[in-house]
Amino acid sequence: MKSLLGAACKNPKHAVPGLTGRWRPPWPTVAWFSTTPVSHRSKKSSKSRSRSVQLFDPRTLRTGMQRDQDDSLSKDLPRRPDHVVKRHYRNFHDFTLNHFGKLVKSLGAFPHNQEEWRSFGVNSQLQLDHEISLFKSTLTKAFDLAIEAGKTSRAENRTFWSLRNAFIRSDAAGLLRELKYTFQTFLMRSRFPKAVNELHMAISDLRFPYEWYPATRMMQRTIHLHVGPTNSGKTYNALKALENARTGVYAGPLRLLAHETFSRFLAKRRPCALITGEELRIPADSDTWFHSCTVEMTPLNTRVDVAVIDEIQMINSDDRGWAWTQAFLGVQAKEVHLCGEERVVPLIQGLCARIGEKCIVHRYERLNPLSVMDESLKGKFKNLRKGDAVVAFSRVNIHQIKKGIEEKTGRRCAVVYGSLPPETRASQAALFNDPDNDYDFLVASDAIGMGLNLEIKRVIFDASYKFDGVGIRQLTIPEIRQIGGRAGRFRTAAQEAKGDTTAAPSAGLVTAMEDEDLEPIREAFTKNPPPITTAGLFPPSTVIERFHSLFPPRTPTSFVLARLRELSRLSPRFHMCDFTDAMEIAEIIKPYELSVADRCVFLSAPVVLRDPRQVMALEAFAKCVAQLGSGNLLDFAEIDLEVLDEPTPAHPSQQTQHLHRLESLHHTITLYLWLSYRYQGVFQSQALAFKVKEMVETKISEHLEQLTFVPDVQRHRRQRMRRLAAMTEEKERNLLGPEDEELPPHHEEQVGVFEGDEELFEGEVDEVEGEGMEEGEGVEEGEGMEEGEGVEEGGGAEEVEVESEVEVESEVEQRKGKKSEGLAEASKE
């Protein structure tokens, strides 16, 4: 590799150690908590108390608090004794105070982090110590309110409610994130007078996202909503309308679909541009062309005749729903064709009525029958039939199953998944679709559920659960229906080529590899998924920049985002998408002198934050932009190019590590390409990056081809993952309580104080005023910027290594938390 690229690269550094990871104490653990059911202490005795202690596992605490909450919300389950609930809350109080101590240590003393402390109004170590003491007292009051008065709701005791739910949802890492924001808000309380709060509220008013696209609102669009089950022809009809137009846009959820539509238009000799996060192909011999893109990259400043937005039901996604909302509200097309499920109709009709646009609903019925089989394959590949597709949820598992099928049946097996190069995927699909060769079977990821053109007779689920990047969970009803619905074809390609319109459509069948997974699949086809009532929303970069300008200089962007999330006012038709990744990226790039505009670009970068190598690469890229340095690919020692020179290890455990390094390098190169389109004058090695990306994909394919299939290992893996999925489902059940507890976080009369906690702060703000605090230095003027484009979808969960899923699940929160606190110390060093 050194001879090919002309430079030697260093091995990746170790991840910066952090303090916010999942707490896993060595056994026996330190004695932290009391379990003696004594009457709760008074305010005076709460500061100094003597309590008996015993060994305590925080996982037990979290489970106990979850059950306390479930019992209080359920009418069927008996309530737990009050002394048990109070004991859990006391233990949680001590646990929270201990982790607050870790948080303060990670933030650093005043002399070592003066600029950041001053941005929060702290001007001396003495004042910082006093604020820490006051905050601890405030936490204790909030817990006293929960224990003595039983006030635990969001309206009555916001601080306790937020900390408890962060802990239940994300363990110690989530608790530390919430503690950090709560403490920073506490420090800023004197800097949020009424006038400033009013400005904050005005900018964070996101109830009218339609107004973000004034040019589109000046048009009179017609919305065509194509809804129906899979294999009903809805996308086919929408694409027909696009083909008959002079100019148009196709926006899909996957790079695979964008490439498929791109190839379709080229085959019809229609000029077409391909726009994804890592690739941009513009026709050189035409003045006008069609656009085929991922939904995040939908061009909003180009007027076209027809726009097709596929899989519109994903507008409800907590992660990517904002991209569908942005595309739907902002695309400048005379006709907008939306394709999706029936359950999205009321939402789209309501949005169209709100913006005054005509909505025409086209409903479709499935063109061929579909049924769930009574029996599974019993885990035996000999029960496979020609035309079967086995659906797995990781790249490693896909290739292991492929190897097992070919060994047991003696027939060839094609593979299709998200990260395959487009040409390879097209050739694999063609081999499977051709009835005259010996490629009888297909192993694919859940990407086939998004409408890839495959002639599948029977869909077989390898499992009814998946690793979604955070944990193991059961497949949802819509996911099972989307994937299973790909079974059966109305008319095969061979029949269409012969012009045979009389052949009866082939029926589709759905089953599973094992009986344990068949029942949830059968249930999914008998239940109706819940209706979609809200569209995802994420503040555009213009809003973030304006909001940021109202804070003192050097205020961390992560705090600004947390404050914006907290104050945002939304219409009942919208919900706020997840801020977690954006806030973590903001913490990672905090040490570098970037403009607010540049920070907004990096917030949507396609980086896998649980991978330390990618985090280091992100830091290096941010530093390069900040210093206007050389963006030559070979100049970044953080890019692990040496892995391309290393042969595949012989030992299985080393093979897994080797594959992780290759996948990490692939994601890092993708990130480099993504940035090269946004900073063309900095990251100039685009051609070399494409070459390296191709080499990495070749190495990964060679590695996966060498995998072996061991039936017992696969069976035990399914059992283990099934248990983890059940545990995840139980933990998430009734997590946030009844709907009436989900109050809007924007009561104007409470802004600037913890909503529901006003009585905890009485007499405390005046106590710290005049104690070395200076007047604010004013606000930063926001720099002009264009609205940033969204993050490119990275291929889905099929790219996660299955054999390491259990390890990843136990490390995800640890790695997630390592950045915000650990990097604070690293930046000082």
Side-chain angles (χ1 to χ4, degrees), residues 358-584:
K358 184 179 180 181
C359 181
I360 303 174
V361 181
H362 307 271
R363 289 182 168 86
Y364 300 84
E365 298 294 333
R366 186 176 171 86
L367 300 174
N368 63 325
L370 179 70
S371 60
V372 181
M373 299 181 65
D374 295 329
E375 293 185 351
S376 69
L377 267 62
K378 309 297 183 183
K380 299 179 180 179
F381 291 141
K382 68 178 183 180
N383 294 326
L384 288 170
R385 309 170 188 167
K386 183 177 177 63
D388 282 351
V390 180
V391 179
F393 300 101
S394 83
R395 183 158 45 181
V396 168
N397 203 26
I398 286 172
H399 281 268
Q400 288 178 330
I401 292 174
K402 173 184 180 291
K403 181 73 69 173
I405 290 175
E406 292 180 342
E407 290 177 355
K408 297 296 182 181
T409 64
R411 306 289 290 176
R412 303 298 300 276
C413 184
V415 293
V416 170
Y417 51 86
S419 59
L420 273 178
E423 296 77 13
T424 304
R425 185 210 55 83
S427 64
Q428 290 286 302
L431 289 172
F432 175 73
N433 291 338
D434 186 355
D436 299 325
N437 61 28
D438 59 348
Y439 280 80
D440 290 351
F441 314 113
L442 173 72
V443 183
S445 71
D446 50 351
I448 67 169
M450 295 296 180
L452 298 179
N453 187 22
L454 297 166
E455 297 178 2
I456 300 169
K457 295 180 180 179
R458 183 171 61 167
V459 168
I460 301 161
F461 285 83
D462 176 61
S464 61
Y465 43 83
K466 67 182 292 186
F467 179 75
D468 61 3
V470 177
I472 311 296
R473 64 166 176 83
Q474 293 284 347
L475 295 175
T476 64
I477 293 176
E479 286 174 336
I480 292 176
R481 287 191 168 192
Q482 280 282 108
I483 298 170
R486 297 302 164 187
R489 292 286 295 176
F490 173 65
R491 192 173 293 123
T492 66
Q495 291 170 345
E496 291 179 354
K498 296 177 182 178
D500 185 2
T501 60
T502 61
S506 59
L509 297 174
V510 181
T511 187
M513 286 297 298
E514 295 182 346
D515 291 337
E516 291 85 348
D517 295 312
L518 186 57
E519 187 58 33
I521 293 171
R522 183 181 292 108
E523 289 181 0
F525 281 93
T526 59
K527 296 180 179 178
N528 291 323
I532 293 175
T533 58
T534 58
L537 208 62
F538 193 85
S541 54
T542 51
V543 171
I544 296 175
E545 184 180 4
R546 288 178 58 204
F547 195 71
H548 209 301
S549 68
L550 299 178
F551 289 81
R554 316 298 298 182
T555 301
T557 303
S558 58
F559 174 76
V560 175
L561 290 173
R563 179 73 174 169
L564 178 59
R565 178 190 62 182
E566 192 72 15
L567 300 183
S568 294
R569 289 184 285 180
L570 302 177
S571 160
R573 295 186 180 94
F574 298 96
H575 70 269
M576 189 65 72
C577 288
D578 188 16
F579 269 64
T580 304
D581 285 352
M583 293 169 66
E584 292 186 17

Side-chain angles (χ1 to χ4, degrees), residues 205-355:
D205 187 349
L206 308 181
R207 292 175 295 175
F208 311 106
Y210 337 97
E211 299 175 357
W212 298 344
Y213 314 99
T216 308
R217 298 288 77 79
M218 294 177 66
M219 300 179 64
Q220 189 60 43
R221 305 185 304 174
T222 301
I223 310 299
H224 293 269
L225 181 56
H226 303 263
V227 296
T230 53
N231 208 357
S232 60
K234 55 185 184 292
T235 306
Y236 173 83
N237 285 281
L239 288 176
K240 280 293 183 184
L242 181 61
E243 291 176 2
N244 294 330
R246 186 178 63 88
T247 58
V249 172
Y250 170 82
L254 300 175
R255 291 192 300 269
L256 287 178
L257 292 176
H259 275 282
E260 193 172 82
T261 304
F262 172 73
S263 301
R264 176 175 179 163
F265 274 83
L266 292 186
K268 295 179 180 292
R269 300 186 181 278
R270 307 290 298 275
C272 186
L274 175 66
I275 308 173
T276 69
E278 62 188 59
E279 194 170 7
L280 179 65
R281 301 185 193 178
I282 303 295
D285 54 352
S286 178
D287 295 331
T288 60
W289 53 78
F290 291 85
H291 297 76
S292 182
C293 55
T294 48
V295 69
E296 287 88 351
M297 308 300 293
T298 304
L300 303 180
N301 299 321
T302 303
R303 287 210 171 195
V304 296
D305 295 328
V306 174
V308 174
I309 303 176
D310 209 356
E311 306 295 342
I312 188 61
Q313 72 276 358
M314 293 187 70
I315 198 171
N316 186 242
S317 169
D318 286 336
D319 297 321
R320 300 177 63 202
W322 62 268
W324 274 264
T325 303
Q326 171 184 276
F328 168 59
L329 295 178
V331 67
Q332 298 184 39
K334 299 175 183 177
E335 291 185 9
V336 181
H337 292 257
L338 310 176
C339 306
E341 301 176 11
E342 173 72 30
R343 61 197 182 107
V344 80
V345 171
L347 174 62
I348 298 299
Q349 288 179 328
L351 293 175
C352 289
R354 182 65 182 81
I355 58 182

Side-chain angles (χ1 to χ4, degrees), residues 28 113 165 190 215 312 380 475 493-494 537 545 563-564 584 666 671 705 714 724 747:
N113 199 14
N165 286 288
S190 61
I312 188 61
K380 299 179 180 179
L475 295 175
L537 208 62
E545 184 180 4
R563 179 73 174 169
L564 178 59
E584 292 186 17
H666 188 274
L671 174 61
E705 288 292 337
Q714 288 289 97
L724 290 172
H747 299 296

